Amino acid sequence: MNKLRVSVTELDNWQKCRLRHHYRYHERIQPTGAYADDNIALAVGSAVGLALEYSATGASKGECEKVGHRYLAGRDSALARYYTCLAKLPDWLWELENPVAEDKLEVFYPYRERWGGWGITVVGLPDMWYVEKDEDGTPLGVRILEFKTCADSKSKTASKLLNYQRWGRQPIRYATLLYDTYEWLRDLPFYRQHILVSSNGKGYYYEGAAMRVPQRVIESERAEMLDLAYQTRHESRGDQQATFSPLCGWCDYEELCTLRLMGADITEVKEAKYEEIVKR
């Protein structure tokens, strides 16, 4: 029997824009140097993420800060930005009880006629999740945190958070995978929340509201994920239809898309400004 394996990230790319999915998963290109070691904004964002993830081990805030410091060792300008970012993070992020970071979720959904007899495995890696409790220790719900960093101005950072809160589907899909993975969580309500920190040295911090993910949304999201997964393998080749949204401004392929709209030849730009994605 046929099987396919797909990540929540790929589903997100496919649903947002099939042209973006084409560039990333078929042509396998990315902006040259966008993920290089000398990209300070990226390095700072990675260091902040490492520090927050390490907090899930029960380490103190000081110990967590050292993890990011070691990652940026020798890069003084990046370290300065890193500590500016950390100073803006609220205490509650460091004081969570038993948070789970980088939990590799992998759910197999059996063969169904709807997908031509294919079995589908969906993989997800939420930044962090935890069970929120009241003062008596009674579980109140499951909160899924999605951390983002950007090097934009204050107003653009706030706008970006709002866009993530409005249209970001990944935390909802993580809620579905958590529900399908851990039976003991199923009687609890699920919540999603985006947290965005600036990595440009200004230390802007924005925290979205914790939004409820209703049971009906989990059910519909599961069905949609599986339909999308089947589409990515059976409809994606040659599908280069762009989908425009407020998130286009943060897409790695915005320049190529703009040139296509203008009827320009994108060959030279692709060769000059993009490189092959190398699996790390």
Side-chain angles (χ1 to χ4, degrees):
M1 291 186 180
N2 296 319
K3 297 180 182 180
L4 68 85
R5 181 184 178 90
V6 66
S7 70
V8 166
T9 301
E10 181 177 353
L11 294 179
D12 195 51
N13 278 282
W14 171 256
Q15 188 169 33
K16 282 179 180 176
C17 179
R18 297 193 178 191
L19 180 60
R20 174 183 174 130
H21 182 274
H22 172 81
Y23 284 137
R24 182 161 186 83
Y25 295 94
H26 294 307
E27 293 199 24
R28 295 190 59 76
I29 59 173
Q30 65 187 11
T32 301
Y35 301 96
D37 292 338
D38 59 356
N39 184 320
I40 293 180
L42 177 66
V44 171
S46 297
V48 172
L50 287 171
L52 287 170
E53 289 164 18
Y54 194 65
S55 69
T57 66
S60 67
K61 181 179 178 181
E63 292 172 326
C64 294
E65 290 177 350
K66 290 177 183 178
V67 172
H69 187 108
R70 286 195 293 270
Y71 178 79
L72 297 172
R75 290 181 275 185
D76 292 343
S77 59
L79 280 169
R81 293 190 187 188
Y82 169 67
Y83 281 106
T84 299
C85 285
L86 291 187
K88 294 291 184 178
L89 297 180
D91 289 339
W92 71 263
L93 272 176
W94 306 103
E95 297 169 355
L96 296 175
E97 182 181 346
N98 299 320
V100 182
E102 296 290 307
D103 187 9
K104 187 173 182 179
L105 305 171
E106 187 168 323
V107 182
F108 175 72
Y109 297 96
Y111 313 96
R112 295 185 188 176
E113 196 63 35
R114 179 183 177 89
W115 313 311
W118 284 66
I120 299 172
T121 298
V122 182
V123 180
L125 198 69
D127 289 338
M128 185 177 288
W129 66 271
Y130 66 98
V131 175
E132 193 169 11
K133 300 178 181 179
D134 63 16
E135 295 179 355
D136 297 324
T138 303
L140 299 174
V142 181
R143 188 178 298 200
I144 301 159
L145 303 179
E146 187 78 357
F147 300 117
K148 301 289 185 181
T149 58
C150 72
D152 292 321
S153 65
K154 186 174 184 179
S155 60
K156 286 187 175 180
T157 301
S159 176
K160 192 169 186 178
L161 174 74
L162 186 57
N163 285 331
Y164 278 129
Q165 285 282 93
R166 284 173 171 166
W167 292 294
R169 302 295 293 276
Q170 287 195 21
I172 299 174
R173 288 170 178 157
Y174 293 145
T176 302
L177 294 182
L178 283 167
Y179 181 91
D180 289 344
T181 300
Y182 300 111
E183 187 174 349
W184 62 278
L185 295 178
R186 293 177 188 171
D187 291 332
L188 298 174
F190 284 78
Y191 298 86
R192 60 178 177 87
Q193 182 176 19
H194 282 91
I195 291 174
L196 201 152
V197 184
S198 169
S199 57
N200 63 5
K202 303 296 184 180
Y204 307 132
Y205 171 85
Y206 290 95
E207 178 183 306
M211 306 297 293
R212 176 78 180 268
V213 183
Q215 179 65 34
R216 60 176 177 77
V217 172
I218 288 176
E219 299 296 336
S220 64
E221 197 67 40
R222 182 188 301 110
E224 184 174 57
M225 279 198 305
L226 298 174
D227 284 342
L228 290 171
Y230 184 76
Q231 290 172 20
T232 63
R233 297 300 185 268
H234 295 82
E235 300 178 16
S236 61
R237 291 291 181 183
D239 191 337
Q240 300 179 35
Q241 181 61 45
T243 301
F244 305 103
S245 79
L247 296 177
C248 288
W250 292 287
C251 178
D252 285 343
Y253 310 102
E254 182 188 21
E255 183 174 4
L256 294 180
C257 190
T258 300
L259 290 172
R260 281 167 55 98
L261 287 173
M262 301 299 292
D265 184 353
I266 65 173
T267 304
E268 291 185 4
V269 174
K270 283 171 66 175
E271 292 176 350
K273 295 187 177 182
Y274 289 81
E275 63 185 0
E276 182 182 359
I277 295 175
V278 178
K279 190 173 182 178
R280 294 173 180 265

